[in-house]
Amino acid sequence: METIRFDELNLDPRILRAVTDMGFEAASPIQAQAIPVEMEGHDMIGQAQTGTGKTAAFSIPIIQRLYLQKKKGYKRGIKALILTPTRELAIQIGESFAAYGRFAGLRHTVIFGGVGQKPQTEALERGIDILIATPGRLLDLIGQGFIHLDTLEYFVLDEADRMLDMGFYDDIMQVHKQLPPYCQTIMFSATMPPKIRTLAKTILKD
């Protein structure tokens, strides 16, 4: 496959600047294939190992599309939800959104269990655009009324195979039930066993 550069992916100058400031010029195969599909608004499943740049493959299109919407003016509310199996991954994804979105003026927060919820709920109350979460704490805060998903436009299920191995299937379905019908769903998984294909058929539309 020929190498595709980030400046060939129709990125807004502000987003491109953040990417090139980090020293990235050429997109990895998963980025080159996933970014255009996501920019067009299609649901998608991508197979990618950790370390292939898949976080950028979903964070860059989300940042770009939200930034362009925000320029036109939009109502605040959680627009993107990234669901991930572990707090370490959630923190890492949060750092990627901070880096790629540094000139976009979007707000994100990371929530996970095992720590006090007060700083997390305070961030939510201030208003955010992007939420990165582990399933348990997410459902807990939805139950307490701190999180509403009615404004959601992008749902990313990261490391889907690990999620299922860790027993999060019911949690995923519970979250999926609360998504608005027009929400774009993106899934990434390192492996594609039958249970992942079944999950993809259940939650992906277009």
Side-chain angles (χ1 to χ4, degrees):
M1 187 180 158
E2 60 169 309
T3 304
I4 293 184
R5 294 166 52 88
F6 280 106
D7 57 15
E8 295 174 80
L9 289 173
N10 296 323
L11 297 180
D12 181 272
R14 283 179 167 236
I15 316 299
L16 185 60
R17 185 177 148 205
V19 172
T20 50
D21 276 4
M22 290 173 73
F24 298 129
E25 284 179 15
S28 73
I30 189 70
Q31 292 162 356
Q33 291 174 62
I35 289 173
V37 174
E38 291 169 56
M39 297 271 221
E40 284 171 9
H42 300 293
D43 282 8
M44 189 201 80
I45 181 162
Q47 185 170 5
Q49 308 295 331
T50 304
T52 51
K54 70 176 160 57
T55 305
F58 62 76
S59 55
I60 291 170
I62 287 173
I63 291 164
Q64 159 117 348
R65 293 179 72 194
L66 290 181
Y67 170 68
L68 295 177
Q69 261 178 281
K70 194 171 138 276
K71 275 205 321 195
K72 292 182 195 153
Y74 74 179
K75 195 166 136 274
R76 263 221 196 273
I78 300 169
K79 303 282 192 222
L81 168 64
I82 291 84
L83 198 59
T84 190
T86 65
R87 63 187 281 175
E88 292 74 27
L89 241 145
I91 291 164
Q92 227 175 309
I93 293 168
E95 287 164 356
S96 293
F97 271 98
Y100 299 126
R102 55 197 273 234
F103 306 119
L106 300 168
R107 292 191 208 161
H108 75 276
T109 200
V110 181
I111 63 167
F112 46 78
V115 294
Q117 70 174 39
K118 201 163 176 5
Q120 299 177 359
T121 56
E122 283 171 352
L124 291 165
E125 282 167 345
R126 282 194 295 273
I128 55 159
D129 306 289
I130 299 154
L131 177 63
I132 301 116
T134 54
R137 177 59 54 101
L138 174 70
L139 288 168
D140 189 14
L141 294 182
I142 288 174
Q144 292 179 53
F146 285 109
I147 293 172
H148 304 280
L149 300 180
D150 50 342
T151 51
L152 207 69
E153 294 176 23
Y154 309 99
F155 174 54
V156 179
L157 189 60
D158 191 30
E159 305 248 341
D161 48 357
R162 262 178 88 189
M163 289 275 226
L164 296 192
D165 289 342
M166 290 168 74
F168 288 133
Y169 179 82
D170 290 344
D171 291 356
I172 293 167
M173 296 318 292
Q174 226 178 310
V175 171
H176 183 254
K177 263 195 233 128
Q178 304 193 42
L179 304 181
Y182 52 79
C183 192
Q184 180 184 6
T185 302
I186 298 151
M187 259 176 87
F188 280 97
S189 187
T191 58
M192 289 288 168
K195 60 186 180 179
I196 290 293
R197 293 173 195 275
T198 306
L199 179 65
K201 278 200 189 96
T202 312
I203 70 173
L204 302 182
K205 299 179 297 290
D206 176 17

